[in-house]
Each structure stands twice: as structure tokens, then as C-alpha cells.
Amino acid sequence: MKIFTKKSVKKISKIKEFTKKNIPNLRYGMIHCQFGYHDGVSIVMKQIERVMVNYLSVPEKNIFYLVGRSRQHGSNIMIKPSLWIKNKTNQLMIKRFGEGYGGNRSERIENAISRAKLIIGDFITKNKIDVLIAHNTCHPVNFVLSVALHRYYRDAIKKDQKTPKYILWWHDSHLERKSFQHPANDVEQYLLYGVPGPFVEYIVFINSLQFKEAEKYLLKLDKIKPGYFDLMHKNHTVMYNTTETFIDSYNDLESDKFSDRIEKFLDDFKIRELLKEKHLNLSQALFCLQHTRIVDRKRIDFALRYCFELFKQKVKTGKHTKAFYFLVSGHRLDRSKGKIIRLHKKLCKEYNTDKFFLVFAEDLDKKTDIKFEEYPIIFAKLRGFATYFSEIEGFGNNLLEVLASGLIPVVYTYPVFVNDIAKQKFKVIALDRFEIEQEAIDKTMDILRKDRKRKIWVNRNLKILRRKFPHKIIAFKLKRAIIRRRLHK
């Protein structure tokens, strides 16, 4: 199969390629439905910006964002609500994924895509974007945005206009979620021609399982654009999520470092008052952090069940533990919060306790200035632990944040954990099924009880993170993505 005709090879050879020397002078655009929140994509977007500035010498003034909503604001951030995941047309496309659109729905969708295409074109032209880093335009969460971006490239290339290099950061996709396995016929066409479609020039996958899933889709695109599969086989890389370490060593957890933030947390969340009502003090409470957003697949329900059983056994075997404080640090993403609250009430009755406290950080957002990323260090300083029972993850940004803060997690071994993370030999308590087993409970109590063992585990995890997950790895792989030969004008 010929990838290029002589004519097409000649045309591509005329495209201006980027070199290492160009990188600091180029102008970069990042696109996603949102920015500045606690989701993994927002975290990675900010990491990429820091890496470009700190390791690739790109001035901050050369980095621009186009998003549906943002917690951060500035002249370099263009916010267009019509591109947000919760936009009604985007939600319509997701809701009727398996049924199809048709009639008035199709007209509404096409109008939204056309408007989004104009927004994208305006963003690229206004900011003179040379390199576009699109996040999750392979996933229907960005349905309108993804298809509009595809059409921007399609129309610009037809008119022989210059376009920015299209780099796709592949966090999740419609290929990796069961709910997106059976698209209607018209929906399938939108997927082929826009989610992400055949104009992507380089893909950054966040785990090693994703390319195998993507192959099926890329082979379909190959029928539309012969040779495209072979090109993307060459033009992709795997870039695990990365993190900085937030403490130098376990000794930081034993020192006075961060003590002001601990006090701030205890005051803002009125924890001493809460315990006093039960005639208890701080030393009698066990702290657990669920460092994720509130969404079904995070399995906070199982985390609660696990922690109630742990609490029961800790009370029986320990002289000091009389209360359990369980905090969910992220914001709600679906309707699972109500189910979690009802389950908590049910388990309190089942275990006959009124001293297991379920708290959601989002309920106190307006009463505290403690940031999402601070909670792991706070809970590590309080000698607590973390739960991370996700059924499925692209990689696990929040898991890395927990480890980087000196907090030991109890983890469910989801597929990417088994394939990519387990081999790194982090010290965690791992469950291979959603069952509460005595061995795991014993290991958790052991790590809570033995300071020396916890110190060894924490320091080992920090060492692994510094060696294998530093941000500078992003710089190396992003540089390669930028300078790799372009696939179209």
C-alpha cells in the first residue's frame, strides 16, 4: 500500500518543519472542554505549561488556551461555554449516542459544530498558533469541539491554508468506555470524521494499553486516508502522567513543616468541635482521604465499606481509635453523591456507630482556602491513609499526588495499574477484586500502626517518583512530537 503519491510527497516536503531551535519561538494553543479544575486533564494541561516554560524555554506569553470553562482567567485564556462538556448540544450527542440523531437534532448539532469551528478558527488566527495540543478530542466528552476541530482542518487544507501542527493528548477515548461501544450509524460517522478524525499528526497516549485499542479506530481511518495507520504507528508515544514530589522525605511529615496548613484544615472543617461533640479528641480519630472527584467509577461506595470494616476492627484491637474521618476531596461529576450519603447512613446503622464521619470538601469550598492538592499532605501529617478503588483510569494522576505527598493508599488493581504501575514497585496495599479481605485490612492496620514501616514505604515511593515520573520526561517527548515531520499543511 502506497502511503504517498509522488505529488503528495512533493507537497509535504514544502511544509515548513519545526526544529529544536524553533521551539521557544513557536506559539502554542491548548484545547479542552475545561481548565483549572481537579480532573486529570486539567492537571496535565498545567503540567505541560510548566514544562514548556521551565524545560523548553517557551515564554508564558506564547501559550494560549481555548476552553469551555476555566477556574483560571487571563488574556491568554479564551472561554467559550458552547465548548463545555455540559453544553446542551454536547450532552444531546452523548445522551443519544446509541440511538442516533436525525431530524431537528441533526440540524441543532450541525449548527453547534459550525459555530464551534468559527470559534476555533478565530482562536488560531488571533493568537497565531503554530502548534495545537488538543486534549481528549478522541472522546465524546468533547463531541462538538472534536468534530469542529476536524472540520477546521478539513476546510483549511482544502483551501491550501496553513494550519497549526495537530498533537492529540489521548487521556481517554470512546474506545475505552463500555457506554460508547455501540454507536448508532450516524454517530459512527461523526466518530470517524472528527473524534478525532484523520488530521491528527501526532498522538501522546498516557498508558501503554491505549494504542492497541486505538488500532481498531486507526484502521478504519486508514480506509478513508490510505497509509494513515502506518503514519500514526510511527507518530505516537506513551507519556505516563508525571508528578513533582511534595515532600523531601518522611521526615517532613514528622517535622513542623506544613503545620500551619494542618491547623487551618482542622479549624476550617471544625474537626475538633466535631470530635468534642462525641467526647473525643484529635488523637482518637483515624483519617482517610478519598482523593478523587465524586463519580461512580471511582468506587467511593466500596471505599466506605472497606473503611467501616477497618474502623470496626481498629476499635476492637486499638486502645486509641474511637472515630473515623473520611474526606472526599474532589467535586461531584455525576449523581453518585446522594448514593454515597445514603450508603453512609446505612452503614452507620449496620455497624452501630455515630462516630464515622463522611465529609465532602466541596461543601466547604467557600469556607476554606485549602487547595485540592494540599489534602494528601495534610492527611499524611495526620498519620492517615488514602483509598483509591477506581474501576478504570487512564493512568492515575490523583494516585501519583497521594504517593508524592507521603500518603500510603489502598488501591484496586485496575487494568492500567496492573500493566503500567505495578511494575514500578510502589509500596501500596493492593486489592485485585472488590471484596473486603482480612489480609488487606491487616496490612492497612499494620502500616498505620508501625511508624518505621510507614517511613520505609514513603521514602521508597518518593524515590521511585523522582526517578521514573519527573515532569522533565514530558519535555523530552513533547519536543519530539513538535519536531516530528508534519503530515499535512
Side-chain angles (χ1 to χ4, degrees), residues 165-176:
K165 182 164 191 178
Y166 187 168
I167 298 173
L168 165 61
W169 216 280
W170 188 296
H171 300 263
D172 295 292
S173 74
H174 53 89
L175 306 168
E176 300 165 54

Side-chain angles (χ1 to χ4, degrees), residues 339-352:
K339 290 191 291 184
I340 294 166
I341 292 170
R342 290 190 292 274
L343 176 62
H344 172 253
K345 289 179 180 178
K346 177 184 174 184
L347 291 172
C348 283
K349 289 181 181 178
E350 188 179 315
Y351 282 83
N352 192 28

Side-chain angles (χ1 to χ4, degrees), residues 73-176:
H73 295 82
S75 58
N76 67 324
I77 301 174
M78 183 184 285
I79 302 170
K80 296 293 181 179
S82 58
L83 303 181
W84 188 39
I85 180 177
K86 296 293 186 181
N87 173 266
K88 289 183 179 179
T89 306
N90 203 72
Q91 287 292 295
L92 170 67
M93 295 187 79
I94 295 170
K95 184 178 180 180
R96 296 190 60 86
F97 189 88
E99 302 167 47
Y101 309 131
N104 293 334
R105 295 189 187 94
S106 288
E107 184 179 354
R108 176 177 160 188
I109 288 167
E110 285 299 319
N111 287 337
I113 292 169
S114 296
R115 289 193 297 271
K117 192 191 97 170
L118 292 174
I119 290 170
I120 291 168
D122 180 56
F123 169 75
I124 290 170
T125 302
K126 178 183 176 182
N127 298 301
K128 300 177 182 178
I129 303 298
D130 297 301
V131 177
L132 195 68
I133 304 173
H135 293 268
N136 262 10
T137 49
C138 48
H139 197 310
V141 294
N142 280 328
F143 225 137
V144 171
L145 172 59
S146 301
V147 178
L149 183 58
H150 163 84
R151 292 189 186 176
Y152 161 79
Y153 276 94
R154 179 197 68 185
D155 295 347
I157 291 167
K158 276 183 182 178
K159 295 175 184 177
D160 202 30
Q161 295 173 346
K162 177 180 175 287
T163 61
K165 182 164 191 178
Y166 187 168
I167 298 173
L168 165 61
W169 216 280
W170 188 296
H171 300 263
D172 295 292
S173 74
H174 53 89
L175 306 168
E176 300 165 54

